[in-house]
Amino acid sequence: MNELSSNATPDSLTAGLVDLIRSKPIAPADLEAAALFTLDAVANSLAGRNSEPGHILANWWQSRGPSNVTPDPARLAFLMGALCHILETDDLHRESVVHPGCVVIPAAWTLAAARGSTGKAFLEAVLHGFEAATRIGMAVGPAHYRIWHNTATCGPFGSAMAAAALLGLSDAAAVDALGNAGSQSSGLWQFLETGAMTKHLHAGHAAEAGVNAAELAAFGFTGPPRILEGEKGFFRAACPDADPEAVLRAPNMPWQLARTSIKPWPSCRHTHPTIDAASELRARLADADLAPEAIVAIDVSTYAAAIDVCNRPVVESDYEAKFSLQHAVAAALLFPVVDFEAFGASARQYCAPLAARVRVEAAEPWASAYPLNWGGRVILRMMDGRELVAVRTDAKGDPEAPLRREEMIDKAAMLLRHGGVDKPMPLIEAILDLATRDALPDLALI
C-alpha cells in the first residue's frame, strides 16, 4: 500500500504526484502502447548513430575506457538519450512540450537491462516516467518554454520516476529522487542561434540525472520534497506563469503516454502541421497541372511558439532546416516524401527560392488552441490569382490523428536501417512483445 493514500492531502506536489502515478491502474492496452513508444525511442537512438553528433558521441564513449567493462546504467542512459534526440523524429507530448521518450525510455531501458527486470516491469516504469515528466511540463507555463527547453528541465523528473519504479523505491524515497532530479533541471534554447549540438546533451543529461537521483535515494540520500512549489524551488526560479495545480489535475484521465504524439517527419514538431498541409497542397497542384514555379507567395498561419522556435527564412545546415517553417513548407511542396534527405545540402539549395516566398504569422484560431492543439494553415497564392488553402487542426501523429500500428513499425524499420541494423524485424518483434518477456533484448548502442 502507498504510504500516502490517494484521499490524503499531499505534503508536497511531488508526494502527490508519486501517489497519483502509483495509484493509476495499468491495462494491457497501456502496456501495448508503451511498447510502441519504446520501439520508437530505441529506433531513434540506433538511427542517431548515423549522424555527425552521433559519431562524436561514439568517439567520446569509446575514449572513456575498455569496451569489455560493463557501463554504468546512468552513463549509458546519457548516451542513449542523447542519440535518441538527434534526428528530430522522437515523440512529443503537446500540452507539456516535452519529448518524454528520449529521456524516460533510455533511463528505464539501461536500468532494467542492468538489473534483469522483466519486460512488463520496464513498460510499467515507462508509463510512470512519461506521466511525471509531462504532468510537470503541463505546469511550467508558456513563459518557461521561451527560454528553457522543457525536455531538459522536466525530463529529469520523468527519468527519476521511471527509475524509482524499477528500483522498488518507497513513496518517501521516490519523493527524494524527484527532489534531487528537479534540482538538476536545466537546458536553455540559446543553441538555436548557431545550430549547436546542445539539444542532444539536454536529453542525455535529463536521462542520466534521474537515474542517479533514484539510485542515490535507494541508499537514503534525501532530496527537497517541495522542489516544485517551494520558495526557492523550480517554479519560483524558472516558471513566471506556472500553473502548479496542473501537476495533479484530472488524475483519472488516461496515461499521458496515450496523449503523446509520434512524429512522422524528421524535423521539429512545430513544423509538422504545415508540412502536412503543404503535402496536401502538393497533391492538389499536381492534380491541377500547376507547377511550383506558379506560386507567387505562400502564407503560413500558426501559433506563436512555432514561430518563436522555427521562424528561420535562411538555413545553412540540416539542423537549421529542421527548425525552419519556411524550408519545411517548401520541401513538402517540392518533394513527394519529407525524409532525411529533404533537409540535406542539395535539398536546401533546391528549396531556397520557394522558401523565400513563405511568410509566417501567428494567427487565430491556432494561437489560442495551442498547446492543446498544434495546427496551422498554408495558403498558396498563384500567378493566375487563385488561392489554394489547406488547414490542419492537429498534426499527423497526434492522438486525434494517430499513426497506424503498421506505420509506426514501418517508421521504426526505416530508422533502424538508417542506423545500420540490416535486419530490423527481430528487434522490432522483441520490443513489441516486451510485456511477456522475462528480460529486455540485447541492444548494442556502440
Side-chain angles (χ1 to χ4, degrees):
M1 179 179 293
N2 290 346
E3 295 164 12
L4 176 69
S5 72
S6 58
N7 294 321
T9 301
D11 295 329
S12 67
L13 283 177
T14 50
L17 182 60
V18 168
D19 184 60
L20 182 156
I21 290 172
R22 292 182 167 181
S23 297
K24 287 181 76 70
I26 297 176
D30 298 319
L31 297 176
E32 182 179 356
L36 281 167
F37 276 83
T38 298
L39 174 62
D40 192 72
V42 168
N44 271 285
S45 289
L46 294 177
R49 300 178 302 183
N50 186 8
S51 66
E52 183 183 359
H55 297 152
I56 293 172
L57 285 164
N59 291 336
W60 165 78
W61 184 263
Q62 291 164 350
S63 74
R64 295 179 60 81
S67 59
N68 61 346
V69 176
T70 302
D72 171 68
R75 188 91 293 211
L76 189 58
F78 174 92
L79 175 65
M80 186 174 178
L83 288 171
C84 186
H85 204 41
I86 288 175
L87 296 178
E88 290 298 327
T89 50
D90 52 320
D91 60 43
L92 176 77
H93 183 271
R94 292 172 301 176
E95 294 162 83
S96 64
V97 206
V98 168
H99 298 267
C102 64
V103 175
V104 171
I105 289 169
W109 186 283
T110 57
L111 192 57
R115 297 177 62 83
S117 302
T118 66
K120 183 172 183 287
F122 163 79
L123 294 174
E124 290 173 346
V126 168
L127 287 163
H128 285 201
F130 269 59
E131 197 77 10
T134 56
R135 281 187 167 272
I136 291 171
M138 288 188 286
V140 298
H144 179 81
Y145 184 66
R146 295 190 186 105
I147 295 175
W148 301 93
H149 182 202
N150 290 14
T151 300
T153 58
C154 305
F157 295 99
S159 56
M161 195 68 213
L166 289 165
L167 292 169
L169 298 189
S170 69
D171 287 2
V175 170
D176 286 332
L178 292 178
N180 283 327
S183 203
Q184 299 176 75
S185 296
S186 185
L188 300 162
W189 281 113
Q190 183 61 30
F191 67 86
L192 283 174
E193 187 172 293
T194 60
M197 298 175 184
T198 310
K199 193 166 187 267
H200 322 318
L201 174 75
H202 288 176
H205 172 261
E208 180 182 26
V211 175
N212 284 334
E215 287 188 328
L216 284 167
F219 283 86
F221 200 90
T222 61
R226 299 182 71 243
I227 188 63
L228 293 174
E229 73 274 27
E231 286 298 311
K232 298 183 187 301
F234 179 49
F235 290 157
R236 180 62 62 91
C239 310
D241 55 356
D243 178 16
E245 293 182 0
V247 176
L248 305 180
R249 186 176 293 140
N252 296 322
M253 70 168 54
W255 286 96
Q256 294 300 323
L257 181 143
R259 297 165 59 83
T260 303
S261 303
I262 292 287
K263 287 184 174 184
W265 299 294
S267 60
C268 177
R269 185 60 171 169
H270 291 310
T271 66
H272 285 200
T274 46
I275 287 177
D276 200 13
S279 296
E280 175 192 322
L281 293 173
R282 180 184 181 278
R284 289 166 58 185
L285 285 173
D287 290 342
D289 198 26
L290 291 170
E293 290 77 11
I295 301 172
V296 175
I298 305 168
D299 292 338
V300 172
S301 301
T302 186
Y303 48 91
I307 294 173
D308 289 343
V309 177
C310 296
N311 182 14
R312 195 158 281 104
V314 178
V315 293
E316 297 179 353
S317 68
D318 293 33
Y319 202 65
E320 287 185 4
K322 291 181 178 188
F323 284 84
S324 169
L325 285 164
Q326 292 86 348
H327 176 82
V329 169
L333 288 168
L334 293 172
F335 299 129
V337 178
V338 180
D339 55 12
F340 294 123
E341 292 183 2
F343 299 90
S346 60
R348 295 195 303 272
Q349 183 177 6
Y350 180 59
C351 292
L354 190 59
R357 300 174 216 167
V358 177
R359 302 175 297 207
V360 300
E361 66 170 355
E364 298 297 344
W366 308 282
S368 297
Y370 176 86
L372 295 178
N373 303 93
W374 293 33
R377 178 184 65 196
V378 177
I379 301 176
L380 304 185
R381 304 190 186 279
M382 311 303 294
M383 285 182 178
D384 61 8
R386 80 177 81 179
E387 295 181 356
L388 301 180
V389 183
V391 177
R392 292 294 183 272
T393 301
D394 300 288
K396 185 175 181 180
D398 283 346
E400 296 82 2
L403 298 180
R404 301 188 313 275
R405 178 185 175 89
E406 294 76 14
E407 289 179 306
M408 293 184 68
I409 291 173
D410 288 345
K411 175 191 172 185
M414 178 273 292
L415 287 169
L416 290 170
R417 291 190 185 96
H418 184 77
V421 180
D422 295 332
K423 297 180 180 179
M425 285 313 299
L427 179 58
I428 290 172
E429 291 168 356
I431 291 174
L432 294 179
D433 195 37
L434 276 173
T436 62
R437 291 179 64 96
D438 293 333
L440 275 59
D442 291 335
L443 191 66
L445 286 171
I446 299 298

